[in-house]
Amino acid sequence: MQRKARLQNCIIEANAWGSSKSLIMTAGIGMRTRTHRGCSTMNAGTQQIVQEAESAQKKNHSNGDLRTNKTAREIAARVNGSAVVERKPRVFVAADNRLLREAISRMLVRSGEIEVAAPEFVEPFRAEDLLKEHADTLVLSSRGNENEDLAAIRMARTMAPKVQILLIGATGEESEFLQCVRAGVRGYLPRDASAKDVLEGVRALQAGEAVCPGTLCATLFRYLEREATSFPSATVHRRMGLSRREQQLIPLIAEGLTNKEIANHFCLSEQTVKNHLYRMRHKIGATDRLGIVQVCQTQGFMP
């Protein structure tokens, strides 16, 4: 009976070791057995690691929750040879050219710090795929058509507003650049950008930065300066009903600029300018461009 009782005590003690014993067995630590009242005991080195793990576990539970204590994680990593892996940012690569898409994807994966979402994706890009694949960044290759690029950017911004967009392979023209910025891109790289530029661009977007060549950065400053100097008049808006943009068009109309020239000045499409002129004529009762200028002069809003 005494021998049976001692055996039962040994089983209870062994179970009490719990995960600490499993850590030891996983690490392959040898156990030297000696007898103490019929039960095997651990050697000093093994006991030290178990005590560290048990101490960390007690600290963890004393806080009243089940969060893993840092000390316990360090011990587990040391014993199991494992570490906590943080989630890598997910990048969705959209390019009509499959070869280009695969090349960019391989380059990003080789960096070791980025996960490519849907690397085997072969269907045409759809904005809803960004949500489906839980993407953080969209690397969008230009299709060579400004309107198609803008449509894709706006669709992505509408469907997945938190996704950062990096447009690559663009023409680098000032008007296109500014329209893409207005549409919602955070990064803009022209056709001569290298693979290194793309990788650094993705990293910058992940860090909350914006990316574009230095020459286009200067363009952005000039654009903002023009916007500031053509600030609208509240009086004109109140008396004539003209919007801010419509007021900005008046001096350019007076100079005789064509619709296309006005569009380039404000980085708008020509059709948008036509729409503005149509609304302006109806608001102030003018029949043509000259009539718009004459009415504004009559009202004292132009010299």
Side-chain angles (χ1 to χ4, degrees):
M1 291 292 294
Q2 291 179 351
R3 193 176 288 178
K4 191 171 183 180
R6 284 198 300 270
L7 180 60
Q8 185 67 27
N9 289 336
C10 288
I11 293 172
I12 294 171
E13 184 178 344
N15 290 336
W17 291 350
S19 60
S20 299
K21 183 177 180 182
S22 67
L23 293 178
I24 297 166
M25 298 302 291
T26 303
I29 299 175
M31 298 179 68
R32 186 172 62 224
T33 305
R34 60 187 176 85
T35 303
H36 177 67
R37 292 182 181 178
C39 292
S40 61
T41 60
M42 296 173 285
N43 62 29
T46 301
Q47 285 178 341
Q48 182 180 355
I49 295 178
V50 171
Q51 287 169 0
E52 288 180 13
E54 288 176 344
S55 175
Q57 189 175 18
K58 287 177 182 178
K59 283 184 180 180
N60 184 41
H61 285 294
S62 67
N63 292 333
D65 57 38
L66 298 177
R67 290 176 299 179
T68 305
N69 185 272
K70 180 180 178 183
T71 306
R73 288 200 304 270
E74 290 174 351
I75 295 169
R78 188 179 71 188
V79 176
N80 289 328
S82 61
V84 178
V85 179
E86 295 184 359
R87 177 183 177 275
K88 296 179 181 179
R90 288 176 63 81
V91 176
F92 192 102
V93 180
D96 290 340
N97 186 312
R98 182 175 179 178
L99 184 62
L100 175 63
R101 182 173 66 251
E102 292 178 351
I104 294 173
S105 299
R106 284 195 298 269
M107 180 266 297
L108 294 174
V109 170
R110 277 200 302 269
S111 72
E113 57 194 81
I114 295 169
E115 181 180 355
V116 175
E120 304 299 328
F121 192 80
V122 294
E123 299 295 327
F125 168 67
R126 298 178 305 172
E128 50 265 35
D129 294 324
L130 297 173
L131 296 176
K132 180 181 177 182
E133 298 296 335
H134 305 288
D136 302 303
T137 302
L138 167 64
V139 175
L140 179 64
S141 176
S142 173
R143 300 177 181 178
N145 182 292
E146 182 178 326
N147 291 332
E148 290 185 8
D149 289 343
L150 291 173
I153 293 167
R154 291 177 182 129
M155 191 179 301
R157 290 289 295 165
T158 300
M159 294 295 298
K162 293 184 178 180
V163 174
Q164 307 297 322
I165 304 174
L166 173 63
L167 180 68
I168 64 173
T171 63
E173 295 179 0
E174 292 186 2
S175 60
E176 180 194 80
F177 165 67
L178 291 173
Q179 289 198 64
C180 288
V181 170
R182 273 206 302 268
V185 302
R186 289 293 298 274
Y188 181 97
L189 295 177
R191 293 169 181 168
D192 58 355
S194 65
K196 182 181 178 182
D197 292 333
V198 175
L199 178 58
E200 291 180 350
V202 172
R203 287 170 175 164
L205 263 62
Q206 290 296 324
E209 301 172 1
V211 180
C212 72
T215 54
L216 292 178
C217 185
T219 298
L220 192 57
F221 277 97
R222 288 195 298 270
Y223 172 76
L224 293 175
E225 183 181 9
R226 285 201 306 267
E227 289 285 293
T229 55
S230 57
F231 196 78
S233 165
T235 304
V236 176
H237 177 71
R238 184 171 60 252
R239 292 178 57 181
M240 303 178 66
L242 297 180
S243 69
R244 179 175 186 270
R245 178 64 75 192
E246 290 165 352
Q247 293 180 51
Q248 292 174 336
L249 264 58
I250 294 173
L252 302 185
I253 297 171
E255 291 178 18
L257 271 63
T258 64
N259 290 346
K260 186 174 183 180
E261 289 171 335
I262 295 174
N264 290 336
H265 182 85
F266 289 110
C267 300
L268 303 170
S269 69
E270 193 171 349
Q271 184 58 49
T272 299
V273 174
K274 291 179 181 179
N275 293 340
H276 281 311
L277 292 175
Y278 175 81
R279 286 192 291 267
M280 290 170 71
R281 289 197 302 269
H282 282 268
K283 286 179 179 179
I284 65 179
T287 56
D288 53 22
R289 293 161 62 97
L290 180 59
I292 294 174
V293 176
Q294 289 175 338
V295 170
C296 290
Q297 288 175 333
T298 303
Q299 295 291 327
F301 300 129
M302 288 185 64

